[in-house]
């Protein structure tokens, strides 16, 4: 009898893993360093070992696991279980994740993009509960997104729909790893906001943050900018508002195009909360179509670090129940 579902959220820094019961309550949870620099084979081997250790510690047999879901960064083919490309993972190209897992596990395994599984988590258990039209964005190293339209998750022709972070905002802007320049994610992510801040320091601006880091500007973080904002630091306030304005313009386009009921802002930088979101809302209200923007809330994500794990587990469970996806480990 299947009593449990496993969710894996693979990040550039950590692998977040959990076993859930069928009510999606956590039975066992852990976080381990990804060690992505050692290559895809090493990372996947770590995941296998982590899952086996969790099962052993809880005394759970593989036969009791209904399925496992995995959120994988980058471009992928969910139906084939293939990770096509992940820019932040060295050597991570055309890796058949499901076939690798097949060598160790009896239960079905499903993969999807890491941001989409975060979106599943917030949609089913967090800030998106009850909505049929929503957009989730995650602000971290970059800007990722997932979209639900009329109760259905949007995938697109190549399962890469929703790359909001690569909307071009500036004709001659910051270079992006996608090969273009001026992409939204290069400005409104945590990395992008820090870049804006340090660019202004290079222009000769001052900030209390310089008292904290001295000449070690590379140690400046988005969290520091939030702390300085709370202390009334003029540069931190300026940069937070500038970042919120750019994000607001980007979301105005998204709201005009997709007409969602809610935009959920997650990822590490969402911890900035109202410091950032108030400016975002003000900008959207001024520049998006009035009918669409007045019907759309912009809110902070609720689940935090658990969103990816529970979302991956819920996604896998949904795929099992629909029995319509090729990406099943048992042939």
């Amino acid at each position: 009898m299947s009593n449990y579902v496993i969710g894996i959220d693979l990040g550039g820094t950590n692998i977040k893993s959990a076993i859930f019961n069928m009510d999606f309550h956590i039975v066992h949870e852990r976080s381990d360093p990804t060690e992505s620099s050692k290559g895809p084979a090493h990372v996947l081997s770590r995941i296998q070992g982590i899952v086996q250790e969790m099962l052993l510690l809880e005394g759970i047999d593989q036969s009791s696991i209904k399925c496992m879901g995995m959120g994988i960064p980058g471009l992928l083919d969910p139906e084939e279980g293939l990770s096509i490309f992940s820019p932040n993972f060295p050597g991570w190209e055309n890796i058949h994740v499901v076939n690798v897992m097949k060598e160790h596990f009896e239960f079905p395994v499903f993969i999807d993009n890491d941001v989409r599984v975060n979106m599943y988590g917030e949609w089913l258990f967090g800030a998106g509960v009850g909505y049929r039209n929503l957009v989730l964005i995650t602000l971290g190293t970059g800007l990722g997104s997932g979209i639900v339209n009329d109760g259905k998750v949007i995938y697109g022709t190549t399962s890469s729909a929703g790359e909001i972070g690569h909307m071009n905002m500036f004709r001659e802007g910051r270079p992006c790893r996608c090969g273009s320049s001026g992409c939204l994610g290069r400005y409104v992510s945590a990395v992008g906001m820090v870049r804006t801040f340090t660019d202004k320091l290079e222009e000769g601006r001052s900030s209390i943050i310089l008292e904290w880091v001295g000449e070690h500007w590379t140690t400046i973080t988005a969290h520091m900018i939030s702390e300085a904002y709370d202390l009334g630091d003029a540069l931190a306030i300026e940069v937070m508002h500038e970042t919120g304005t750019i994000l607001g313009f980007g979301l105005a386009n998204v709201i005009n195009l997709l007409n969602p009921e809610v935009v959920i802002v997650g990822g590490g930088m969402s911890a900035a909360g109202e410091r950032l979101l108030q400016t975002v809302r003000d900008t959207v209200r001024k520049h998006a179509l009035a009918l669409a923007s007045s019907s759309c809330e912009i809110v902070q994500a609720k689940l935090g670090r658990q969103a990816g794990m529970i979302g991956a587990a819920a996604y896998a469970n949904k795929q099992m129940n629909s029995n319509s996806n090729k990406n099943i480990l048992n042939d």
Side-chain angles (χ1 to χ4, degrees), residues 16 39 43 173 191 273:
K16 295 182 284 292
V43 173
V191 171

Side-chain angles (χ1 to χ4, degrees), residues 190 193-194 209 213 217-227:
M193 185 166 72
V194 170
I209 291 178
V213 303
W217 292 7
T218 57
T219 63
I220 295 173
T221 65
H223 180 67
M224 288 181 186
I225 297 173
S226 288
E227 289 183 321

Side-chain angles (χ1 to χ4, degrees), residues 259-282:
N259 195 198
E261 299 165 87
V262 63
V263 175
I264 303 168
V265 181
M269 204 176 97
S270 67
E274 291 304 309
R275 305 177 189 89
L276 178 72
L277 294 184
Q278 190 56 56
T279 303
V280 172
R281 294 191 193 100
D282 290 345

